[in-house]
């Protein structure tokens, strides 16, 4: 396996706006049919996921465990439907698996699981675990002289977790330039805004003070995301943090910037309206920034 050339992510799915649209449609249907939640949190990260898997990460659906692959850990595991949909679209497993999501006997649990699911590196759910595990994996890779990169997608709300700040301190101390944290900064937590729940600002300065190189980006602008993620590491001998400014519920008008859609499941008229909005985006060339 070690001699198998790994394909670059670029070219797997070059039209990432169309990939993002498909991920959103899949996720809407998966959460509605299975009766699960978190669609607002899923929509928030879809553009990041589409660009990361479609244009940036070195992954190969034909060899999911390739030793030279980049590793991606979804720390906000409740948005797992978005990762499953991306992996299915890229060919890691059949698309028809998605119809089993969150149902008895399915491999695709509500919070992301790696068990029997090609392409998922680590199961997460309880917040504050993904970054510490990714940090350990990045440190191990550095000790072994391996060249792959370690990406983790975090929520802004989970920056409240103390375990993350231990990992942030450790990664800065050890200069883990192979570690990239992407924060989905949609400014809404499960029940209220980040500002009301536990203020994070000045967020970028906090990460910098722990020895990280930080860039901020529009988390729905595919060109900006591609340029930013392809620029890592931002500084030599430092881990990289991308603060991606996003909109919770992005892509469906009545879900955007609404705490309601952290837990609510779209059904009936709401489901049909959301599906129609996402389908219409294909005709408009996508709702994402050019």
């Amino acid at each position: 396996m070690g001699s198998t050339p790994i394909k670059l992510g670029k070219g797997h799915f070059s039209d990432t706006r169309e990939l993002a649209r498909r991920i959103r449609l899949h996720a809407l249907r998966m959460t509605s049919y299975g009766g699960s939640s978190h669609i607002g949190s899923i929509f928030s990260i879809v553009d990041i996921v589409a660009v990361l898997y479609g244009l940036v990460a070195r992954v190969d659906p034909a060899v999911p465990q390739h030793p030279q692959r980049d590793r991606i850990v979804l720390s906000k595991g409740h948005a797992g439907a978005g990762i499953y949909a991306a992996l299915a679209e890229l060919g890691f497993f059949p698309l028809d698996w998605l119809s089993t999501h969150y149902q008895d006997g399915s491999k695709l649990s509500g919070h992301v699981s790696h068990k029997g699911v090609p392409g998922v590196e680590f199961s997460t759910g309880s917040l504050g675990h993904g970054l510490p595990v990714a940090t350990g994996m990045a440190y191990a890779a550095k000790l072994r002289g391996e060249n792959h990169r370690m990406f983790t997608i975090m929520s802004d709300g989970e920056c409240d977790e103390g375990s993350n700040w231990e990992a942030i301190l450790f990664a800065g101390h050890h200069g883990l330039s192979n570690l990239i944290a992407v924060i989905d900064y949609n400014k809404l937590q499960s029940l209220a805004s980040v500002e009301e729940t536990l203020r994070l600002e000045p967020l970028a300065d906090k990460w910098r003070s722990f020895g990280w190189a930080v860039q901020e980006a529009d988390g729905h602008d595919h060109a900006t995301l591609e340029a930013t993620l392809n620029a890592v590491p931002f500084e030599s001998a430092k881990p990289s943090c991308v603060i991606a400014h996003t909109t919770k519920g992005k892509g469906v008008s009545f879900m955007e910037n609404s705490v309601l859609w952290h837990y609510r499941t779209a059904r009936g008229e709401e489901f049909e309206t959301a599906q129609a909005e996402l389908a219409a985006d294909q005709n408009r060339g996508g709702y994402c920034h050019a």
Side-chain angles (χ1 to χ4, degrees):
M1 179 181 291
S3 61
T4 305
I6 195 164
K7 299 175 183 175
L8 294 179
K10 191 175 181 64
H12 282 177
F13 212 117
S14 56
D15 185 353
T16 54
R17 284 183 288 279
E18 173 59 13
L19 175 58
R21 191 187 69 83
R22 294 188 195 183
I23 293 171
R24 283 188 169 93
L25 269 172
H26 286 310
L28 176 71
R29 293 166 179 160
M30 291 160 70
T31 54
S32 181
Y33 298 162
S36 62
S37 53
H38 305 122
I39 191 64
S41 300
I42 297 164
F43 284 177
S44 182
I45 63 165
V46 163
D47 298 298
I48 298 167
V49 169
V51 172
L52 183 56
Y53 279 98
L55 294 173
V56 176
R58 294 190 289 262
V59 294
D60 185 350
V63 192
Q65 292 298 309
H66 197 296
Q68 297 172 28
R69 72 191 185 282
D70 289 334
R71 276 69 163 171
I72 301 171
V73 169
L74 178 67
S75 193
K76 48 175 291 181
H78 54 285
I83 296 294
Y84 293 145
L87 293 174
E89 280 288 347
L90 291 168
F92 280 86
F93 53 81
L95 280 166
D96 60 12
W97 284 21
L98 300 180
S99 64
T100 71
H101 176 253
Y102 202 63
Q103 299 182 36
D104 288 346
S106 176
K107 295 178 180 178
L108 308 184
S109 53
H111 289 73
V112 74
S113 172
H114 71 279
K115 187 176 181 182
V117 185
V120 177
E121 298 287 346
F122 184 66
S123 303
T124 56
S126 297
L127 297 174
H129 289 100
L131 177 62
V133 170
T135 299
M137 294 168 73
Y139 186 51
K142 180 180 179 179
L143 292 178
R144 294 170 182 155
E146 297 170 348
N147 296 322
H148 62 265
R149 300 169 297 179
M150 190 69 237
F151 293 90
T152 184
I153 302 172
M154 308 170 60
S155 72
D156 47 13
E158 73 170 318
C159 289
D160 299 351
E161 302 284 350
S163 54
N164 280 326
W165 292 100
E166 292 182 39
I168 296 165
L169 183 66
F170 182 93
H173 174 81
H174 289 284
L176 301 182
S177 58
N178 56 345
L179 176 64
I180 304 100
V182 183
I183 301 175
D184 171 28
Y185 198 9
N186 61 37
K187 289 86 175 174
L188 290 177
Q189 295 191 211
S190 58
L191 300 173
S193 69
V194 167
E195 184 69 15
E196 293 174 277
T197 307
L198 193 58
R199 189 178 307 115
L200 292 176
E201 291 296 339
L203 185 59
D205 289 342
K206 288 174 181 172
W207 284 75
R208 290 189 181 103
S209 72
F210 277 61
W212 289 58
V214 182
Q215 290 193 18
E216 299 188 55
D218 181 334
H220 302 300
D221 184 326
H222 286 221
T224 298
L225 284 170
E226 181 184 3
T228 303
L229 292 170
N230 274 326
V232 296
F234 300 139
E235 296 180 33
S236 62
K238 285 188 177 183
S240 301
C241 173
V242 178
I243 298 177
H245 294 275
T246 59
T247 300
K248 196 160 188 168
K250 179 70 175 179
V252 173
S253 59
F254 59 89
M255 294 183 182
E256 293 188 357
N257 284 317
S258 171
V259 164
L260 177 67
W261 292 95
H262 189 86
Y263 290 119
R264 189 176 180 86
T265 303
R267 285 185 163 140
E269 184 177 347
E270 290 177 332
F271 172 79
E272 296 298 337
T273 302
Q275 186 170 236
E277 286 193 19
L278 294 173
D281 281 321
Q282 186 175 31
N283 300 325
R284 293 198 297 265
Y287 45 80
C288 305
H289 300 171

